[in-house]
Structures are given as C-alpha cells and as structure tokens.
Amino acid sequence: MTKLSKMLKGKKMNEIVNIIRNNSKVSLKIPSLIKQTALCALKTQRLLNNIPPKTMIQKRCISSSSSCQIYSSGNPSTMQQRGLNKGVSLSSSLVQHSSLDRRSAFLTRSELRNAKRVVIKLGSAVVTRADGQGLALGRLAAIIEQVAEIQNSGADCIMVTSGAVAFGKQRLSQELLMSMSMRETLSSMDRTSELKNIAQNDLKRPNAAVGQSGLMALYGAMFRNYGIIVGQVLVTRQDFINDDTREQLFNTIRELMALNIIPIINTNDAVSPPPQETSMQGTLNITDNDSLASRVAVDINADLAILMSDVDGIYDRPPKADGAQLLHYFNHKNMDDIQFGEKSNYGTGGMESKVKSAGFALDHGCNVIICNGLKNNTIRNIMAGETIGTMFSPLEIKGTSVEVLAKNARSGSRKLSSLAPEDRAEIIRHLATSLLSNEFEIMEANKKDLDAAKARGVTGPMFDRLALSRAKLESLCTGLMQIADSSYDNVGKVVRRTKISDTLEVVQKTVPIGVLMVIFESRPDALPQVASLAIASANGLLMKGGKEAINSNKILMRIVNEALGRYGCSDAISLVSGRDEVADLLKLDQYIDLIIPRGSNEMVRQIKERSKSIPVLGHADGICHTYLDEFCDVDKALKIVVDAKTDYPAACNAMETLLVHESLLTNGVFHLVCDDLKKAKVDIFSGPRLSEHLTFGPPKAEKMSFEYGALACTIEIVSNMEEAIDHIHKYGSGHTDVIVTEDKDIAEEFIASVDSACVFHNTSSRFADGFRLGLGAEVGISTGRIHARGPVGVEGLLTTKWELRGDNDTAAEYARGEKQFVHKQLPLE
C-alpha cells in the first residue's frame, strides 16, 4: 500500500493535499478512485484557503463588542503558537490545531487567564431545574454569555453538556398528557403523576432523542446573540475505542474550532445506555460527562477544563460532614487524603469520578477546576484568577488552609481572653526577651532576605525597612515591655456602670474585637509589635508579611508561637503564607472582624477596594503638612522641617508639603529653610503662588495633593493661618499636620481647627507613631473617623459589651409602671 493510499484510508486531508502539491506526478500512479478523492481534497483545500482565518472572524466581533476583549491579554507569542496569529489561512490553522505541542500545566490561578483552549463541562445539576423538569434557562443564558466572552477574545471553547434527557422529559411529559383519550381525561382517576413517572423513568432513550434536537436549537439561538455558531457532536463510547472513528471525531472538532465554531459535545444516550466501567490500560474510560470532558481536553491539547456541577469543589471529606474543608488546590496524587460522599441526584457521575477524570487530564498537561456552576459568574471569575472551586495543580501544596487558620484564631482569641492579665503580660515579656536571646538566628535569617533583596536590586528606604540590627531588636524589646506593663487593665475594664432600677444594674466592659488580619510589607520588625498588641488585647491574629522578608518573618513567628505555646494559645496567632491567600482571607467575614493594612499607598488602596464585607482600618495616603507661621522661631523651624522630611522620607508621617507664611519670604527665613533642605539633598517643587513670587524658583509641582515618599517636597506660600488650614483641608489626607510658631494662641487655634488624626505644635510630624506617643507600638495609623483614629495601639483593638444583671425583671413590668427606672450613674469601681 502506497503512502498516499494509507493517508486516504485515514482521511488525512491536509497531508494528501501537501503530497499533491509537492509531487504532481503521483496522480499518474494512483488508481482513478484515489485520483478523484485527491482532486476532491484539493478542491476542499482551495475552499478552506479562501475562508478568512479565525482572527479575521474574531476581529469583527472584538471591534463591535467591548465584552469580547475581557480575556484578550495573552502573550502574542502564545497566540501564534496556538494558531491564532493574524494572516494565517484556515488550512494552516487546521494543521496547527492538530499539531500543538503539549506543554506543562499551569501552577497557579493567576496563570489561567493565559489559557487559549478551554473545555467547559456543564453537569446535569447545572443545566437542569431544581425539580428536574426542563432546563434552568436563566442560569444557562448567563453561562453562555461567559463562554462567548472567552470565545470572542480569541481563545477556543469546547462545551461538553448534559441536559438532553431533562429537556426531553419536559417535552414528552407534556406530549403524553396531551395524547390522553377523552375517557381518561374525564375519569375520576388522576393519572398525571403516573404519566410523569413514565416519562421520567421508563423513556430515557426517547427523552434523549427528543431533547437533543431541542437542546441544540436552544444553544444555537443563545450563542447567535453573540455572533457565534455552534456545532453538535454526538459521541458514544465506541467512538473512543476505535482508532479510525476517534481520529475522525477529533478531526471534526479541530475543523469546527478552526472555523470559530464552538463544538457542543454530548454522549448519544438515544442509542447507547450509560457506559459501564471497563479496564482500558493507559487511557481514561468514558463513563460520564466528566470523563468525556477530560478525555476531550487531553486529545485536543486544551489548557484548561472547567467541570461544573452542584458542589463548590473537592472537600477533604463529604461536604455535609462536620469539619469538612474545601480544598482550593489539589494534586490527585493525594487521593488517599480525602473521603468521598454520595454523588449528585442528577447525572451519572460523582465526585470520585470527577477527581479521577481531572487527575487524568492533569497528568497530560491540562489544568482542571471543579466548581459550582449554580453560582453567578463562575467561569468569568475563574478566568480572572479568583479562588473558585478546586484547581488541580501539579504543585504539592501542604499546610493548613487559611479558613482553618482563621477558625483557630477565633478560638485562640477566646483562650487569650480567659487568661489572667498577668499571664498575657508574661507572654509578651517572654517574647521581648526572646528577641535578644535569639539574636544570632534572627540576624542570620534577615541576612538571607537582605542578600535576596540586593540580588533584585532593592536599595534605599525599602532596603532599610527590611534590615534588622541589634539596635532595632533592643528598641523592639523596650516597646514590647511597655505594652506588657500597660496591659493589665485592657480587657474587662469597666467604662460605664449604671443603676437601671432597684433590681437592675448594667455594666459596659472592654472586650477584644475578635480576629484581626494585619498585612504589612517589608518590615519584619512589625511582626512582634503587632503580635504583642494582639496578645495584650486578647485578639486572634492573622498576619501576612511581604515575601521579601520571608526568612525573617518565619523565625520571628516561631518565637511568637513559642511564647504563646507556654499558655496553650499558639493557635491564636498565625502567619499566612502561600498562594492566593489574601484573596481568600478577604472573603472570610464570618471569622475575620477587622483588616489593618500597613505598607505602600497602592497596597492599602487595593485592600480597601477588594474587601467588600470586612472593615478596613488604615490610610491610603500620608500627605502631611508643616506650616511655618510668621511668628516661628527660625532655629526651631529649620530643625523641625529637616527632620520631618529627612528622618525617614518613605514613612507615612514624613512631611510632603511645607506651607510658609508670605512674610518669611522677605526676612530670610524662607531662603534658610530651602538651603537646609537642599543640603539634605531634598528636591523642592513649588506651588502656584510660590511660582508667581520667584522668577527663577524651583520647578512647579504637578499637583498639590501628592505623597512623594522620598527626598522631595512641595513648598507653597500662604497669607495667614486661616489660609494654611484651608489648604490642609483641601489637599491633605487627614494624617498629621504641624504648626511651628511661638504664638500660643495661634497654635491652639490651629490645633483646634485642623481636622486631622494628629495635629502637632513645634514638633516634627515624625512623632505620629505609636511607640513615640507612648503606646508601646502600633498596628497602624488610621485616618478614618469610625472606631479608632491616629496611631492605633491596644485601645484601638478593643470594643465593648454590655452586662445586665437583674432579679426576675420583665419589660412588661416597667411598661405597666409596676417597676420604675432610676438610670443613675454609679462609680466604676
């Protein structure tokens, strides 16, 4: 048998055409039937060459619909590898579709947006209404919209769907009722339930046959709204067993994808019963739509398969069992670590089948996500990298989930509350002394972080914040001792006592907020500070440190755990590390009560925007002002201004704008201040009024409300204190603002009028710090107006509860006048 005849037998059209093009003499040697077939192939090839490539088809949609561009941020080189590059003919695209190299699976969710070929499996529970009678049309329409977005962004979508039987049940039930004879209709016996039962249980193949056409018509109509054509591909188990039919099946699927047509695949239940498990070594048996989707995903080199059902993902035990934990990542090599429950009431698959199918796909380089298709925007959120369902990843992700850590923090908070104040103080003291006794290990770990930072080119303030030293550890120890000494009256302190009546007395006491989540960047010294404040206030705590301080944070966290473990409270505080952890934590509003971000403006702003249900305490900007009044002392002014700007330029309490009374322009003070700032290598930018006064002055500031976070500041001229206050309110961030003056009346008016968290007189703005203000330490500085403001120490981490004690009191007695209210304030002691 010639090479060409073998190709004809296998119907490899593209290879036939290539041989015809490369060797025209072959037509003289082949039989006439083969000639005719080859000529037909050549005609077909010419037709395919004349059809626009897929990107041309997509371009029309992308230009007309903004929603089409949602997922179109892929790497251009990747697009070319997938056969989607501009100017490629459809026939070339077919060859590329059939010859894509298998690459390794994605490791994390953030990479999923780069998926260029996605298989989406809709389980029966997703497609079908809750009563099992017909399709959930609203849910189905929302899913199709999301699939269309992926398809129109340039990726390939393949759908594996259930629902034909359910659609058929609805239609056949109605048909049977309509076909009842008059006698049956008029009889006293109601046979509606009987007929519905027959339609649902005894007519599965007719249901499938009737439902398949209706289901495809529905898909076709829905996708047509987005300019997309769909093609039905019905398969049976035999199609995968026979090599020839399997090859033809996937050639058809590839051709549909090359034509920008979404293949909609389903098992042909009208001609075959649900397949039974058999042993086929080296491959995955098709037993349900989960295995079908995984098998299709592998054979077409898909990047991602999304298996949608009525469960949120994989749990370590049956979802309804006590303590069941959803696994956000899973490697099927750890199958022995989970227990399976019962399968869904709909369809033929179960969770064990899903895991087995997903594992097969992952072994062949295709990621799988098992998720709940009953929830809104599931596909869209998955493609955006959000933590939805369980992602099958080759990573060996170990450790406790963030949800468990949050639960433990809640119970740990209650343990801390039950301790005597002396015990909590002792935990903090032990932590303080351990910082010095473990200096060698701490500095060794910190050196690893510093070396890694140098290798990344980190310099300046960021590097300084990362570095630890003996002096920093000693300062930490002193601050922690202050926290311990002042912690005795924190929790359980009576703030109000009222006599309600002769038999009723109410007491208001301080209690912990509950569970805090503190996110900080770069500064490893923040870890023991925040931990000590949480212990002093008996709060549970989850901390997320920056990856640049990973080694330092680990050793410091170990010391914290050792101190807590001496009183059985080691679970109260945890250091969160791993992938996607912040996004997961921001959803745990049932466990976390307050989020405190410490770091860059961008990080704080992002946390505030992303936290939808958990309050965030902090500030996004630190635009601090220093106002030099006309009655300021020159030496004090010079000293305070330079310190406020240069002591730590990247800090949120550093001066960013210097306001100068206009009289200081003519008496030399202004020039002295500018000279000292220049000597300290501070770049100066001028405000609008200063630019008018100086012909050859500093460059003009781009905007007045700006946080430099470096050796730079803006200088502006004001006519009086009132104008300075107006400027601060207009351009400031409500953080810290300072007046330098020898006139005490003006100073007091400034302090009373400026609406900021911290307002200072004759001192540097750098004093807006918990340690410097005697709080021992701070968890952050808040510019908000609710709960806590300014440097937040222990008191800002407490709330109150009301304890009412009575003697057989009822509200009705007071309403009837049988008992009288007194409402007398009592001494707190």
Side-chain angles (χ1 to χ4, degrees), residues 64 78 98 103 129 207 318 364 449 479-480 539 666 674 816:
S64 62
T78 306
S98 61
R103 68 177 183 184
R129 294 198 321 233
N207 281 336
H364 290 79
D449 293 328
L480 266 54
N539 280 292
T666 57
C674 290
R816 293 192 299 263

Side-chain angles (χ1 to χ4, degrees), residues 135-186:
L135 304 180
L137 296 178
R139 186 186 309 135
L140 202 56
I143 291 173
I144 286 173
E145 179 182 349
Q146 296 169 69
V147 175
E149 287 175 359
I150 302 175
Q151 181 77 9
N152 285 333
S153 71
D156 295 318
C157 287
I158 303 93
M159 290 181 62
V160 177
T161 180
S162 302
V165 173
F167 202 6
K169 285 180 182 179
Q170 182 185 30
R171 299 182 68 177
L172 278 185
S173 296
Q174 295 170 352
E175 186 64 27
L176 286 173
L177 289 173
M178 293 294 294
S179 63
M180 289 172 60
S181 67
M182 182 64 70
R183 180 180 299 175
E184 291 173 324
T185 304
L186 297 176

Side-chain angles (χ1 to χ4, degrees), residues 225-280:
N225 293 324
Y226 304 97
I228 295 174
I229 302 174
V230 297
Q232 183 180 26
V233 181
L234 286 174
V235 299
T236 66
R237 183 169 174 270
Q238 295 302 317
D239 295 328
F240 291 86
I241 295 175
N242 183 280
D243 291 340
D244 289 337
T245 56
R246 185 177 68 252
E247 184 178 1
Q248 293 307 309
L249 167 64
F250 286 103
N251 280 341
T252 299
I253 293 174
R254 292 185 188 101
E255 290 173 4
L256 289 172
M257 289 191 295
L259 290 165
N260 199 28
I261 296 172
I262 296 180
I264 297 183
I265 306 170
N266 195 4
T267 53
N268 192 353
D269 293 331
V271 299
S272 63
Q276 301 299 314
E277 178 72 45
T278 59
S279 177
M280 292 182 63

Side-chain angles (χ1 to χ4, degrees), residues 447-698:
K447 185 178 183 301
K448 293 179 181 178
D449 293 328
L450 294 176
D451 290 343
K454 287 180 182 177
R456 295 193 305 271
V458 177
T459 58
M462 179 70 76
F463 188 85
D464 295 339
R465 293 172 68 182
L466 182 60
L468 293 175
S469 63
R470 174 72 186 187
K472 276 191 177 182
L473 293 180
E474 290 176 346
S475 177
L476 270 175
C477 181
T478 301
L480 266 54
M481 288 297 186
Q482 289 181 6
I483 295 173
D485 293 341
S486 61
S487 67
Y488 293 96
D489 297 327
N490 292 334
V491 180
K493 180 181 179 181
V494 176
V495 296
R496 182 191 299 268
R497 189 188 299 273
T498 305
K499 182 177 181 181
I500 304 299
S501 68
D502 291 338
T503 55
L504 279 174
E505 182 176 307
V506 65
V507 173
Q508 185 184 14
K509 287 184 177 180
T510 57
V511 294
I513 288 177
V515 176
L516 314 173
M517 182 172 82
V518 178
I519 305 169
F520 54 91
E521 294 179 326
S522 302
R523 290 182 52 189
D525 54 325
L527 192 151
Q529 289 179 339
V530 173
S532 297
L533 290 170
I535 295 167
S537 57
N539 280 292
L541 175 64
L542 298 173
M543 291 183 289
K544 175 66 178 73
K547 61 182 179 181
E548 60 277 359
I550 184 171
N551 295 294
S552 305
N553 288 338
K554 281 182 178 179
I555 181 64
L556 291 171
M557 190 64 226
R558 193 200 75 191
I559 295 171
V560 171
N561 284 142
E562 288 175 354
L564 288 166
R566 298 170 74 240
Y567 289 87
C569 299
S570 58
D571 286 348
I573 299 178
S574 295
L575 181 66
V576 178
S577 61
R579 302 176 187 273
D580 307 319
E581 64 282 351
V582 173
D584 294 340
L585 287 166
L586 293 177
K587 300 175 184 177
L588 300 179
D589 56 328
Q590 69 272 42
Y591 303 118
I592 298 173
D593 301 294
L594 182 65
I595 299 173
I596 306 173
R598 296 182 58 173
S600 66
N601 295 348
E602 184 63 26
M603 186 269 280
V604 175
R605 190 175 290 109
Q606 285 183 1
I607 296 299
K608 284 187 171 183
E609 291 174 355
R610 293 168 63 187
S611 180
K612 304 300 182 184
S613 55
I614 306 175
V616 178
L617 185 150
H619 66 280
D621 296 308
I623 304 173
C624 303
H625 294 75
T626 297
Y627 167 54
L628 301 186
D629 183 58
E630 60 178 321
F631 303 111
C632 69
D633 180 276
V634 177
D635 293 333
K636 291 180 183 179
L638 295 175
K639 185 178 178 182
I640 290 170
V641 167
V642 172
D643 180 83
K645 181 68 261 185
T646 65
D647 179 64
Y648 190 0
C652 63
N653 56 11
M655 182 191 74
E656 302 294 354
T657 300
L658 174 64
L659 300 177
V660 179
H661 192 279
E662 61 184 4
S663 65
L664 302 183
L665 282 175
T666 57
N667 64 6
V669 175
F670 170 78
H671 297 287
L672 290 174
V673 171
C674 290
D675 288 343
D676 280 11
L677 287 173
K678 290 178 181 178
K679 289 177 184 177
K681 298 181 179 181
V682 177
D683 294 328
I684 298 174
F685 298 88
S686 62
R689 288 193 60 186
L690 179 60
S691 297
E692 294 175 0
H693 282 78
L694 302 177
T695 305
F696 301 102

Side-chain angles (χ1 to χ4, degrees), residues 786-806:
I786 298 176
H787 175 62
R789 199 176 185 199
V792 181
V794 174
E795 290 185 359
L797 303 179
L798 297 170
T799 184
T800 62
K801 73 174 183 179
W802 298 82
E803 299 175 355
L804 180 63
R805 294 171 177 82

